[in-house]
Amino acid sequence: MKRVLSGIQPTADSFHLGNYLGAIRQWVALQDSHDAFYCVVDLHALTVDVDPKVLTERTLASVAQLIALGVDPNRCTIFVQSQVSAHNQLGWVMECLAGFGEASRMTQFKDKSQKAGADRTTVGLFTYPLLQAADIMLYGANLVPVGEDQRQHIELTRDLGQRFNTRYGETLVIPEAQIMKAGAKINDLQDPSAKMSKSAASQAGVIDILDEANVNIKKIKSAVTDMGKEIRFDEKEKPGISNLLTILSHLGGKSIPALEAEFAGSGYGDFKMAVANTVADYFAPVRTRTQQLLTERSELLAIIEAGAKKAEVVASDTLARVYANMGLLPRHR
Ligand code: TRP
């Protein structure tokens, strides 16, 4: 079986619908056909200022939500990045392999550092893609399911892996990005021209998975719609309705043409109500399971510990080969 690795940052109290349809659902789908490793990247979350208590809670809530959404610890390895120290260790090797100019060309760094300003941009934000490269290559991942915005980081990972192998001998598996389909791109309900994102100016357009049903229903009912009154998929003329159709299609399991036929002659109000109810029903059990895992912590902590153990075996093996091939002196036991 080919190996898959992906990571998600614990930077919000709840994942949103865009995270689920754009990424986590693919994680669930890949776990049976692949040997999958899924990582909550808490070290990456340190690149911006974060309160310790909040970070702990978000890390736990992230793992709990992944499980509740169908990432199954019996069919894949779920773990927390900081619990496997080889990430930092291979991260340093990647930093010593990467050129300063090469790292400076990362567009995500350029965007984020420009927004934050030089004084609030950490060195960690700059080296972020090198830690990401370590995350991936520690596990010999063949495939990395990510969004389009991560393509450049995977390209960098490949370059670094090839450079390592050329200099020090075949050691690292060169991964491939599996860019998630544009069809799964969910937009903001208030600004359907922008991707649904936790950093949106207003939370009114962001469907949080852990929000109460009535909150989500209210958000969907007040979603921006378009001119006219037809329920038709047309991203140019009807970005709001098209976004809602995408959501309903993915969560309700009906194709977009089938939905267009079903809602022919219905008004926006009825259509939105159908979307709202589908979203609410879909995530109700997810919310319950997440809350259960977070209250009965022992089950969750045991899953996380088991994940760390499984991950550590693979990671420490890769790290040992990397160190040895680079000429770092092994322990004399
Ligand atoms: N940078 C990724 C993101 O923001 C998160 C991430 C960290 C990741 N390490 C990874 C994704 C390794 C894939 C593989 O989405």
Side-chain angles (χ1 to χ4, degrees):
M1 272 206 270
K2 285 201 172 176
R3 191 162 281 170
V4 158
L5 179 131
S6 197
I8 193 159
Q9 288 200 54
T11 41
D13 295 330
S14 170
F15 291 139
H16 58 67
L17 188 59
N19 296 133
Y20 176 59
L21 291 178
I24 299 165
R25 213 173 39 138
Q26 275 73 3
W27 292 18
V28 174
L30 285 166
Q31 65 188 343
D32 289 318
S33 51
H34 291 75
D35 181 14
F37 285 73
Y38 298 127
C39 180
V40 172
V41 291
D42 55 345
L43 295 171
H44 278 112
L46 297 179
T47 53
V48 293
D49 198 21
V50 57
D51 176 82
K53 282 205 186 67
V54 172
L55 179 61
T56 310
E57 285 313 306
R58 286 178 173 176
T59 300
L60 290 167
S62 297
V63 180
Q65 286 174 89
L66 290 175
I67 296 168
L69 288 165
V71 178
D72 179 353
N74 295 312
R75 292 187 281 156
C76 69
T77 306
I78 312 181
F79 66 104
V80 173
Q81 184 190 34
S82 65
Q83 296 190 342
V84 181
S85 51
H87 289 255
N88 305 72
Q89 293 166 295
L90 187 62
W92 173 253
V93 172
M94 292 299 136
E95 289 177 30
C96 294
L97 218 55
F100 194 85
E102 192 174 34
S104 308
R105 285 193 289 275
M106 294 297 113
T107 55
Q108 195 165 61
F109 171 75
K110 287 197 273 187
D111 291 348
K112 286 191 181 175
S113 58
Q114 211 155 47
K115 276 185 200 144
D119 288 338
R120 289 201 299 131
T121 299
T122 63
V123 175
L125 195 65
F126 183 66
T127 58
Y128 177 118
L130 307 167
L131 182 59
Q132 184 170 352
D135 297 343
I136 295 166
M137 291 194 287
L138 266 181
Y139 297 92
N142 307 100
L143 217 60
V144 187
V146 283
E148 178 60 41
D149 63 336
Q150 296 297 307
R151 190 190 288 277
Q152 198 186 24
H153 291 171
I154 312 302
E155 277 307 312
L156 176 67
T157 303
R158 291 169 57 84
D159 289 346
L160 295 171
Q162 274 150 359
R163 191 171 308 156
F164 188 97
N165 288 349
T166 306
R167 281 194 203 161
Y168 304 107
E170 266 328 293
T171 314
L172 298 169
V173 176
I174 309 304
E176 247 169 70
Q178 174 168 305
I179 304 293
M180 281 160 325
K181 287 181 227 84
K185 207 179 116 209
I186 304 303
N187 291 330
D188 189 287
L189 299 180
Q190 290 298 321
D191 175 9
S193 67
K195 193 172 122 174
M196 188 177 284
S197 155
K198 59 179 176 270
S199 47
S202 144
Q203 289 307 297
V206 181
I207 297 291
D208 276 331
I209 284 167
L210 295 183
D211 268 351
E212 293 299 328
N214 62 327
V215 175
N216 280 335
I217 290 173
K218 207 171 129 196
K219 284 181 179 175
I220 293 167
K221 277 167 125 181
S222 29
V224 166
T225 41
D226 317 292
M227 300 278 282
K229 46 184 188 235
E230 272 167 292
I231 313 298
R232 180 165 57 80
F233 191 87
D234 180 341
E235 282 181 301
K236 259 218 173 83
E237 299 293 323
K238 291 177 160 276
I241 291 295
S242 301
N243 189 37
L244 292 175
L245 274 167
T246 303
I247 293 170
L248 184 56
S249 166
H250 280 301
L251 296 183
K254 291 183 192 164
S255 71
I256 296 210
L259 291 172
E260 287 173 333
E262 183 178 333
F263 288 96
S266 307
Y268 283 172
D270 289 344
F271 172 63
K272 280 175 159 182
M273 210 49 231
V275 179
N277 287 330
T278 300
V279 169
D281 291 348
Y282 194 92
F283 291 114
V286 172
R287 198 158 48 238
T288 308
R289 176 71 172 131
T290 302
Q291 275 153 3
Q292 181 201 18
L293 284 162
L294 289 173
T295 7
E296 297 156 24
R297 293 249 158 134
S298 55
E299 182 189 358
L300 183 60
L301 294 174
I303 291 171
I304 294 173
E305 178 55 24
K309 283 211 176 83
K310 275 163 75 186
E312 201 155 43
V313 172
V314 180
S316 58
D317 176 72
T318 306
L319 185 72
R321 286 185 289 111
V322 165
Y323 272 21
N325 291 353
M326 294 184 94
L328 295 169
L329 189 66
R331 293 275 295 279
H332 177 70
R333 292 179 211 266

